[in-house]
């Protein structure tokens, strides 16, 4: 009984004391929402060849997110904290020059099989990998694929 009384008193004391309770957390800086561009700039009429098969609402979200220098993940349909890669996002000799040479043949096989009919719409990069992001929009559904490719090891 004494413990219950003591706990009640401590609870009331903590609640009644100014500044003694838990602090209200500071608001975090949110990841810019792809919807943030909606209403200010309409990107949906863009003729960006990477996004031609997407419906206008998704196209607008991708471009609004990219306008704030973030990567839009079509898999989760969210604007992420990741930035798009700083190199041109194309599967060409420039890309092949930065990836591990042992990944070139598997990349070509992937493009001929799993990525067949998919559109490369974005690239991201970190210290170890280049990630290629593909999609296919069909019957109102986005099919999303991500391929990580190891970067060339530099001494």
């Amino acid at each position: 009984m004494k413990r219950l009384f003591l706990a009640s008193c401590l609870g009331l004391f903590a609640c009644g004391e100014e500044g003694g309770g838990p602090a209200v957390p500071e608001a975090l800086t949110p990841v810019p929402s792809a919807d943030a561009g909606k209403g200010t700039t309409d990107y949906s009429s863009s003729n960006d060849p990477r996004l031609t098969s997407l419906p206008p609402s998704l196209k607008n979200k991708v471009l609004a997110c990219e306008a704030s220098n973030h990567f839009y993940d079509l898999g989760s349909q969210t604007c992420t904290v990741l930035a798009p890669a700083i190199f041109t996002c194309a599967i060409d000799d420039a890309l092949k020059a930065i990836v591990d040479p042992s990944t070139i043949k598997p990349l070509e096989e992937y493009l001929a099989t799993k990525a067949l009919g998919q559109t490369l719409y974005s690239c991201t990069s970190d210290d170890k990998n280049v990630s290629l992001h593909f999609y296919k929009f069909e019957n109102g559904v986005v099919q999303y694929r991500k391929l990580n490719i190891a970067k060339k090891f530099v001494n």
Side-chain angles (χ1 to χ4, degrees):
M1 187 68 164
K2 286 182 181 179
R3 287 184 187 169
L4 181 61
F5 177 73
L6 181 60
S8 297
C9 288
L10 287 175
L12 289 173
F13 180 75
C15 291
E17 188 178 340
E18 271 190 51
V24 175
E26 292 293 321
L28 298 175
T29 304
V31 174
S33 168
D35 295 328
K38 213 171 191 175
T40 55
T41 305
D42 182 12
Y43 299 96
S44 60
S45 62
S46 168
N47 292 326
D48 190 327
R50 304 170 302 138
L51 309 173
T52 54
S53 66
L54 288 177
S57 63
L58 267 179
K59 185 187 301 186
N60 199 51
K61 289 179 181 183
V62 171
L63 294 172
C65 182
E66 289 176 352
S68 65
N69 200 31
H70 291 275
F71 163 69
Y72 189 85
D73 185 335
L74 280 170
S76 63
Q77 296 191 7
T78 57
C79 190
T80 69
V81 296
L82 295 173
I86 57 172
F87 53 83
T88 302
C89 186
I91 301 168
D92 57 11
D93 290 339
L95 175 70
K96 291 176 181 178
I98 64 172
V99 300
D100 185 317
S102 68
T103 64
I104 304 296
K105 185 169 172 94
L107 170 62
E108 290 169 351
E109 290 171 2
Y110 182 88
L111 294 173
T113 57
K114 294 182 181 176
L116 193 61
Q118 304 266 326
T119 302
L120 175 66
Y121 81 98
S122 192
C123 297
T124 54
S125 181
D126 62 28
D127 293 341
K128 296 179 181 178
N129 295 306
V130 170
S131 297
L132 305 178
H133 304 272
F134 298 89
Y135 79 93
K136 182 177 184 177
F137 186 74
E138 195 171 60
N139 300 323
V141 176
V142 175
Q143 296 175 3
Y144 172 81
R145 289 191 183 267
K146 174 183 173 185
L147 177 64
N148 291 327
I149 306 170
K151 285 185 175 178
K152 191 181 288 185
F153 179 72
V154 181
N155 289 333

